[in-house]
Amino acid sequence: MKNFNLANIIDFAFINLLFFLISFVWIKYFSKNIFLSIIIAITVLIAFNTIRFFLKNKKSIKNNINKKLENDINQYMLTFLASSTQENLEFFIEIFKDKNPNVCFEKNLIFYNYNNTLIGICPIFNNKEIIVENCLKYITYAKEENINKLYFLCCDISQKTISFLSSFKDIEINILNKNQIFTQLLKEKGIYPKIKFNFKEQKKLKFKELINISFNKSRAKGYFLSGLFIFFCSFIVKYNFYYVFMSSLLFLFTIFCYLKKEENINNNIFF
C-alpha cells in the first residue's frame, strides 16, 4: 500500500484517461455507436492494465534481484577496502589454490604458470578507484618476476587508466573490476569474503519531511523565477490557461516557502 501515494494515483488516473480517450476516439470513428464504443474502450483499458500489471510485476522482481546482487557486490568490495593487503592476498590465494600458485607477499603478487605463460594476480584495494600511480610499482615487480600477463583486481578504474595500462609493450595488463571479480572469481569458485559491515535500510521520506524539503526557504527563488518565466510566456501563446495556472501555482509555492515556519531541530546527539 505504501506505493499508492497521491502522485502515483494522479499518474495512474491520467494515463488511464488518456488511453481510454485514444481507444474511444478510434473505436467510435469506425463503429459510430457511442455506447458500444465506451464498452469496448473500457474492455481495452482493462486488458491494458492487466498486461501492464504483470509486466511491471515481473520487472519489479527482476529489479529487486539486480538490486540485491549489486548490494552484495558492494558489500564484498567494502570488505576488501577495509582489509589489509596481506588479508586480501591470502583470500585470493584461496581462490587460485587449484593453480598451485607462488606467492610474493612483499610484492603483493600471486603468480602461476598456464600453458607456458606466467600469469600474475595483483589485488589493489587501497582506494575505491585505482589510478596509474597505484599500478606502476606492481608492474615493475611483475616484470622482475618475468610475468607475461598481469591482472589487477580492483573495485573500479577509469577508462583512461585502462587505456594507459594496456599500452605497455613488454607485459600484458588486464583489469578485473568489482563486477568481473564477483562473476569470474567469487561466484565461479563459490568463495566469498566475510562481510565486515552491515547497514541499516534507508528510511523513505515521510510526507511531512517531503513537504519540509520541497518548501524550504532556499527553494523560493527557484519557484519565483520559474513562475515569472511561465507568466511572461502566457502573454505569447494563444491558449494560455496552462501557463496562467502553472505560474500562479509556482507563485503560491514561493509564498508558502516564506510563510512556512522552519522546524526547530535538536542537534544534540546525546539528549
Side-chain angles (χ1 to χ4, degrees), residues 54-235:
F54 283 110
L55 290 177
K56 191 174 181 180
N57 191 47
K58 186 177 180 180
K59 185 178 179 181
S60 177
I61 293 170
K62 185 178 179 181
N63 287 340
N64 287 337
I65 292 171
N66 290 339
K67 188 68 177 176
K68 183 181 183 307
L69 181 59
E70 183 183 352
N71 288 336
D72 289 344
I73 292 172
N74 288 334
Q75 289 279 57
Y76 296 138
M77 294 304 116
L78 285 174
T79 297
F80 290 139
L81 287 167
S83 301
S84 67
T85 301
Q86 180 163 338
E87 286 174 329
N88 287 331
L89 205 60
E90 288 173 350
F91 174 82
F92 286 104
I93 289 169
E94 184 68 17
I95 293 280
F96 291 97
K97 66 180 181 180
D98 59 326
K99 309 288 186 183
N100 298 314
N102 295 308
V103 184
C104 183
F105 284 95
E106 295 79 13
K107 297 179 179 179
N108 192 32
L109 286 173
I110 304 168
F111 49 99
Y112 59 91
N113 193 291
Y114 179 75
N115 291 339
N116 296 321
T117 299
L118 199 57
I119 309 291
I121 309 296
C122 182
I124 302 182
F125 294 98
N126 301 325
N127 298 294
K128 189 175 180 181
E129 181 177 314
I130 65 169
I131 56 177
V132 171
E133 288 79 358
N134 299 137
C135 305
L136 293 178
K137 66 179 178 181
Y138 297 115
I139 294 172
T140 303
Y141 295 156
K143 289 167 70 175
E144 289 172 357
E145 298 292 340
N146 297 315
I147 289 173
N148 308 110
K149 190 182 291 187
L150 180 62
Y151 286 84
F152 284 115
L153 312 182
C154 64
C155 291
D156 204 0
I157 186 171
S158 70
Q159 189 57 50
K160 184 179 178 180
T161 304
I162 292 174
S163 298
F164 178 82
L165 294 176
S166 63
S167 66
F168 283 85
K169 287 184 178 181
D170 46 354
I171 184 171
E172 182 183 333
I173 308 294
N174 298 279
I175 312 293
L176 294 185
N177 62 24
K178 61 181 182 180
N179 293 328
Q180 293 164 324
I181 291 171
F182 177 79
T183 55
Q184 297 179 31
L185 298 179
L186 307 187
K187 187 178 178 182
E188 181 72 22
K189 299 292 183 180
I191 301 173
Y192 304 92
K194 186 178 180 181
I195 291 175
K196 292 188 175 183
F197 304 103
N198 291 304
F199 298 93
K200 296 177 183 177
E201 186 177 350
Q202 291 186 344
K203 294 191 296 183
K204 291 188 176 181
L205 290 174
K206 295 179 181 177
F207 181 73
K208 187 177 180 181
E209 293 171 329
L210 190 62
I211 291 294
N212 287 334
I213 294 170
S214 300
F215 296 105
N216 187 282
K217 200 169 184 178
S218 62
R219 294 182 179 271
K221 183 180 178 181
Y223 289 138
F224 174 73
L225 292 176
S226 299
L228 199 62
F229 174 75
I230 295 174
F231 173 74
F232 282 117
C233 288
S234 68
F235 290 98

Side-chain angles (χ1 to χ4, degrees), residues 14-30 37-38 40-42 44-45 48:
F14 186 65
I15 290 170
N16 277 274
L17 176 62
L18 288 176
F19 196 86
F20 171 81
L21 291 174
I22 293 168
S23 302
F24 175 75
V25 165
W26 282 100
I27 294 166
K28 183 179 176 298
Y29 176 79
F30 288 105
S37 299
I38 292 172
I40 296 174
I42 291 173
V44 171
L45 187 63
F48 165 74

